[in-house]
Amino acid sequence: MRILLHDYSGHPFQVQLSRELAARGHRVDHVHCPSYTTGKGSLERRPGDPDGFRVLEVDLGEPFDKYHFGRRLRQEVRYGKQFSALADELRPDILVSCNVPLFAQEQIQRWARRTRTPFLFWQQDVYSFAMRDTVARKLPGPGHLAGAWFVHMEKRMLRRSDAVVTISPDFLPILHDWGLADDRVHVVENWAPLEDLPERPRHNDWSAAHGLDDRRVLLYSGTLGLKHNPDLLRRLAVAVQDEPDVALVVASEGMGADWLAERVAEEHLDQVVLLPFQPIEVFPDVLGSADVLLAILEPEAGVFSVPSKVLSYHCAGRPILASVPSANLAARTIADAGSGLTVEPDDADGFVAAARRLLGDPDLRHDLGTKARAHAEAAFDVHRIGDRFDAIFRRIAP
């Protein structure tokens, strides 16, 4: 079977799935957008990769502008057309598409419908809700009409898909309300690629290169965007400012990272180490350098955004401190695994107190970290996940 697996973001676990599907005998073209800035997976061919696996790019030729609506809209439409032209050349038997901005996804689904290619919508979030809320804040009145149209767009695309894979049972009520038949919706929770994220010693080449070996390290790695509150990291930095053996490492890019960099400079927060996204090749050492791994999600994200960084953190065998809504799957995963501490997003004092507790108790850190890795090894079996996707493909294949 010829599978076109399109992960706009280029994240690590999606490309692991492409390799797994190719190892099963499928021909898999894995397509991503290098113009989108985020932490990327292993997107180059490696020794031992299956013959039927390759990675392709759809490059806008300029960085994707997340925050300028007009420019972003034009880029999304252009990207969708460029991807459709590539799909015309590849002519897959099945198209899987995930992490795709809505206007680009609409162009891509039109191509699938025109060519009668089965289309699997791999739903990572309800993107229209965030778009609706943002435009309503910026344009009271007309923004509500635009927001309603975004929701209509996403609902229509999901209903037109041959199958939907969603990442949490929390999404099922909204999909049911939107009229999707139960037999077309499949829940496959996200995971992290264990093979790319082995446990690494606390002292390693990366930690030494960044002067972290003699310090207790709080580490945040991942996006700092509209669903995150960088002020929590600033407050944590202020709280540990008088403890020279503590470092707060933030590996991120984007609006929130820029805001944090300005605050760090203005307030002389010398314990903060700011870095860009780190390549997947050194990422195990990055996570291994931490004593505590940090995750943040705003209350507005509710249950419909599950930060993938929490899954990667489990692979590292380090304790997790997460500021996330208690109803979110990430919070439930940490609680079920016993892999860390969680606080509500509006509890900044609780976030700082939990960080101090973890920094001061190495036995607790060891216990939580051991449980984190055990959860990853039990839950992140890509062969089992490949079985799930193969079964879905058989149902919708021509």
Side-chain angles (χ1 to χ4, degrees):
M1 188 181 297
R2 295 169 299 173
I3 300 169
L4 177 49
L5 200 157
H6 175 217
D7 172 34
Y8 178 83
S9 301
H11 283 157
F13 66 92
Q14 282 93 345
V15 72
Q16 185 197 31
L17 177 62
S18 288
R19 287 186 165 95
E20 168 65 19
L21 295 172
R24 293 165 176 251
H26 299 296
R27 176 170 177 169
V28 183
D29 289 311
H30 187 93
V31 179
H32 72 104
C33 177
S35 310
Y36 184 77
T37 302
T38 188
K40 302 285 188 178
S42 182
L43 295 167
E44 303 287 341
R45 275 197 64 87
R46 305 184 303 202
D49 273 343
D51 292 339
F53 166 79
R54 63 177 174 173
V55 177
L56 303 172
E57 297 179 350
V58 175
D59 194 342
L60 289 167
E62 60 184 0
F64 180 71
D65 194 333
K66 300 178 186 178
Y67 305 114
H68 187 287
F69 180 77
R71 188 177 301 118
R72 171 177 176 151
L73 174 58
R74 291 191 295 272
Q75 288 179 324
E76 288 188 27
V77 172
R78 178 156 56 93
Y79 180 88
K81 292 179 177 178
Q82 289 179 220
F83 179 92
S84 298
L86 175 62
D88 256 333
E89 297 176 14
L90 300 175
R91 287 292 174 166
D93 297 315
I94 288 177
L95 170 56
V96 181
S97 195
C98 68
N99 287 316
V100 185
L102 286 188
F103 288 95
Q105 185 83 312
E106 184 179 46
Q107 296 284 328
I108 293 164
Q109 191 182 61
R110 285 179 184 173
W111 175 88
R113 288 170 61 83
R114 185 175 69 250
T115 60
R116 298 185 179 180
T117 303
F119 183 86
L120 192 158
F121 194 127
W122 191 355
Q123 183 191 38
Q124 297 287 318
D125 201 344
V126 183
Y127 295 114
S128 61
F129 285 1
M131 295 169 67
R132 176 195 62 193
D133 296 344
T134 299
V135 75
R137 285 196 302 269
K138 291 184 176 181
L139 295 171
H144 291 284
L145 293 175
W149 172 250
F150 297 150
V151 174
H152 172 73
M153 260 182 71
E154 187 163 22
K155 176 169 65 173
R156 182 180 60 195
M157 280 190 283
L158 286 160
R159 293 177 65 174
R160 287 178 173 176
S161 300
D162 296 280
V164 173
V165 169
T166 194
I167 63 172
S168 167
D170 295 330
F171 288 70
L172 296 179
I174 188 69
L175 294 178
H176 184 267
D177 287 346
W178 282 359
L180 275 79
D182 292 343
D183 62 354
R184 288 172 48 226
V185 178
H186 312 268
V187 177
V188 181
E189 293 185 4
N190 285 348
W191 69 97
L194 277 167
E195 64 190 44
D196 291 337
L197 296 172
E199 281 190 276
R200 298 291 293 140
R202 170 62 183 80
H203 297 162
N204 56 60
D205 291 344
W206 192 89
S207 65
H210 291 85
L212 303 174
D213 282 351
D214 297 324
R215 307 173 77 180
R216 293 175 292 163
V217 176
L218 301 159
L219 188 141
Y220 179 96
S221 176
T223 302
L224 273 174
L226 296 176
K227 295 179 183 176
H228 313 90
N229 178 12
D231 191 55
L232 278 177
L233 298 176
R234 183 199 67 82
R235 294 185 64 163
L236 186 53
V238 170
V240 300
Q241 180 69 350
D242 295 330
E243 301 178 51
D245 70 323
V246 175
L248 173 58
V249 179
V250 179
S252 183
E253 298 177 44
M255 181 182 290
D258 294 342
W259 180 92
L260 183 61
E262 292 175 2
R263 303 290 89 72
V264 166
E266 290 173 1
E267 300 180 39
H268 307 288
L269 300 174
D270 301 328
Q271 257 100 331
V272 180
V273 179
L274 296 174
L275 301 168
F277 290 122
Q278 299 296 290
I280 190 67
E281 293 78 16
V282 301
F283 198 47
D285 279 353
V286 174
L287 299 183
S289 299
D291 293 290
V292 180
L293 293 165
L294 307 173
I296 296 171
L297 196 64
E298 282 288 82
E300 290 81 5
V303 300
F304 295 121
S305 181
V306 183
S308 59
K309 66 175 67 66
V310 170
L311 305 175
S312 298
Y313 286 176
H314 278 85
C315 296
R318 296 293 185 272
I320 301 164
L321 170 56
S323 171
V324 295
S326 58
N328 189 272
L329 179 59
R332 302 201 305 272
T333 298
I334 292 169
D336 292 344
S339 54
L341 306 178
T342 62
V343 298
E344 291 293 334
D346 58 358
D347 187 6
D349 290 339
F351 187 69
V352 171
R356 289 194 179 282
R357 179 186 173 194
L358 289 168
L359 287 175
D361 192 337
D363 291 336
L364 177 60
R365 294 201 306 268
H366 179 269
D367 179 58
L368 297 176
T370 298
K371 290 176 180 176
R373 180 68 189 189
H375 171 78
E377 291 176 352
F380 301 162
D381 181 354
V382 72
H383 304 301
R384 177 181 55 80
I385 294 163
D387 288 342
R388 296 288 310 282
F389 276 87
D390 249 343
I392 298 166
F393 295 157
R394 287 194 294 271
R395 294 186 64 170
I396 65 174

